[in-house]
Amino acid sequence: MNALSEHFEGRFLDELLGKITSAMCPQVSDHDCKTCAEFMETDEWKFFEPSFEDTDRTFRALLKSGRYECSRTGLRIECSSDVQLEYLTCDWEQVNYTPEMDQFTPCGPLMDLKVISGELKEVYLPHSLCLGKSLQRDAVKVLHVEDSGVYFEECSLTRFHAKLLDLSFSPKGLLLRKGYTVFYHCETLIYHTLKSHLTLHVYLIPSDKQMKEAVTKKEEQMRSKFILKPEPQCKLQMNGRFTLKALDQTKTSDCNSDITPKVITFR
């Protein structure tokens, strides 16, 4: 799980939480990212909650004609008639190694989609890339995993998704070609733990629903309390180094807190 944890110690929770700042940028929802605002989407998608079997990690959905987005994974589909689906998020580590894979790095989940009945008109996989600053579209490929090997397909990028041009299904995921300077949308998750002293766990992760769910599950098992905070307003560079600070009321100097580690790397 690509999550980064930090600890904040102090005397007054409410006071400290109002003063947490970062070297990243002001924070609002990632859907308000100013860097890629010109790519604002106009299509409307209806959210749906799939059924879920924890034993096989499989999502299931029965949908009528329409345009839908899965609230659990971010998967988008369009269908012109009733469809029945099964899908799950796979581990990238399960992909068979090929020399071509050395040229890429994942930029979204690897999803295995099966159409039980009906027919899909369009399918969009989620990604966490920021399209601002003229990201070259040919830098992103779709990895298609089959028994005979792995293949690389073209796609059409939208602000938060990539439209599949080939609707034959087996595990597919988005890859970014290495060597490009790109930026990502990210989320900052803050949890108040049950430790005797005031301790906060802070995670800096790409905007990925499954990754966020994994962090949430981990913290819920420790009975930590989620603290609602807005998300970064602009993109972050992968492998960039960032700091978190707790400031005094004047916002001019550090308050009495201990932050470990002092610097974190976004990856």
Side-chain angles (χ1 to χ4, degrees), residues 13 20 35 37 42 63 65 71 76 78 93 97 113-114 116 130 134 144 149-150 181 187 199 208 210 231 254 263:
L13 176 61
I20 295 176
T35 310
T42 57
L63 303 171
S65 175
S71 60
R76 284 180 174 178
E78 180 179 354
E93 291 77 8
Y97 171 81
L113 173 64
K114 297 179 181 179
I116 306 303
C130 178
S134 302
H144 187 173
V150 298
T181 300
E187 297 191 35
T199 302
D208 183 295
Q210 294 294 91
E231 303 300 341
D254 291 352
V263 178

Side-chain angles (χ1 to χ4, degrees), residues 99-209:
E100 294 82 2
M101 289 290 292
D102 286 339
Q103 305 175 29
F104 296 91
T105 183
C107 57
L110 178 65
M111 303 194 69
D112 189 0
L113 173 64
K114 297 179 181 179
V115 180
I116 306 303
S117 63
E119 184 175 347
L120 298 182
K121 185 176 180 181
E122 293 182 353
V123 175
Y124 296 77
L125 297 181
H127 67 76
S128 53
L129 296 171
C130 178
L131 299 188
K133 304 302 181 183
S134 302
L135 171 67
Q136 297 187 37
R137 302 307 180 90
D138 61 354
V140 180
K141 300 293 183 181
V142 177
L143 177 70
H144 187 173
V145 182
E146 293 186 340
D147 293 338
S148 57
V150 298
Y151 304 91
F152 300 95
E153 302 173 355
E154 301 295 327
C155 64
S156 177
L157 287 180
T158 66
R159 194 180 186 190
F160 302 108
H161 292 77
K163 179 181 177 181
L164 298 183
L165 303 182
D166 179 1
L167 294 185
S168 59
F169 299 113
S170 63
K172 290 189 176 185
L174 299 180
L175 293 173
L176 173 69
R177 190 181 299 275
K178 294 180 180 179
Y180 290 87
T181 300
V182 296
F183 298 88
Y184 287 72
H185 296 128
C186 76
E187 297 191 35
T188 306
L189 309 177
I190 305 176
Y191 290 87
H192 180 205
T193 73
L194 294 179
K195 296 183 179 181
S196 57
H197 296 288
L198 171 58
T199 302
L200 305 183
H201 289 173
V202 179
Y203 297 83
L204 176 62
I205 63 174
S207 293
D208 183 295
K209 289 180 180 292

Side-chain angles (χ1 to χ4, degrees), residues 1 3-8 188-195 199-205 210-227:
M1 180 172 59
L4 305 174
S5 177
E6 304 222 350
H7 301 274
F8 291 76
T188 306
L189 309 177
I190 305 176
Y191 290 87
H192 180 205
T193 73
L194 294 179
K195 296 183 179 181
T199 302
L200 305 183
H201 289 173
V202 179
Y203 297 83
L204 176 62
I205 63 174
Q210 294 294 91
M211 190 179 297
K212 182 176 180 179
E213 185 176 286
V215 172
T216 301
K217 184 176 181 179
K218 172 185 175 181
E219 290 295 332
E220 286 180 346
Q221 290 174 346
M222 295 188 293
R223 299 174 62 191
S224 302
K225 180 181 179 181
F226 177 68
I227 299 168

Side-chain angles (χ1 to χ4, degrees), residues 66-107:
R67 299 166 65 87
Y68 299 93
E69 179 173 335
C70 174
S71 60
R72 296 286 299 274
T73 65
L75 174 70
R76 284 180 174 178
I77 61 170
E78 180 179 354
C79 51
S80 55
S81 59
D82 293 357
V83 295
Q84 184 178 358
L85 308 173
E86 290 185 355
Y87 53 98
L88 70 156
T89 301
C90 308
D91 293 330
W92 279 101
E93 291 77 8
Q94 296 177 354
V95 177
N96 292 332
Y97 171 81
T98 62
E100 294 82 2
M101 289 290 292
D102 286 339
Q103 305 175 29
F104 296 91
T105 183
C107 57

